[in-house]
Amino acid sequence: MSTMERPSLSIDDRASDGQSVIEGQISTDDVFHILQSRRRRAAVRYLRETEGPVEMSDLAEQVAAWENETTVQALTSDERQRTYIPLYQSHLPKLDEEGVIEYNKDRGIVRKTPLVAELERYLSVEDSSDIETGGDEHRWDTYYLCVSSLGSFLLLGAAFHFPLFTLVPSIAVVACVLAAFWLVSVSHSLSV
């Protein structure tokens, strides 16, 4: 549905129902209904970061990558399909119906409307609290803490010549600790 086909409500029409209205276009209740789905929030987030019309398949791939905490290139066919179908059948038509996007289902083209920018303040709360990623940073903190603890244990054992540690040269222990940090750091940078 295009914005031209959407019935126009004035602030007075909705305010008389006791609902607050964003820029005279959409009520706060409608905003929360639209953004209650994580996939719809991710779709709006993607559109917020792009210019001009986008292909539905590109949008679906990025949403799938965010959901699976991976890159678009590393997605499996099943991961793509699990995200693509609900977006195609449900979420994008809902966003189109509410006037947030213009969705040409037949051509697979999605265009954002000015309402995407108006939803930004609701999405920025989610971005800043890391709800979307499910606390991904905490997981990496745990990995770094584990590698640090293991490295400290190995280095102390080698420094104080504990029985098993005398069998391995100290340089090998240091190399293992550095390799572990290198592995965690590279994995972390690739996942972001």
Side-chain angles (χ1 to χ4, degrees), residues 121-132:
R121 68 182 168 143
Y122 295 93
L123 293 171
S124 63
V125 169
E126 180 177 6
D127 292 344
S128 66
S129 64
D130 201 29
I131 293 170
E132 181 101 10

Side-chain angles (χ1 to χ4, degrees), residues 14-34:
R14 290 214 182 161
S16 65
D17 294 339
Q19 299 177 355
S20 73
V21 178
I22 300 173
E23 300 291 318
Q25 296 288 322
I26 189 168
S27 73
T28 305
D29 290 341
D30 288 339
V31 168
F32 290 125
H33 178 70
I34 290 167

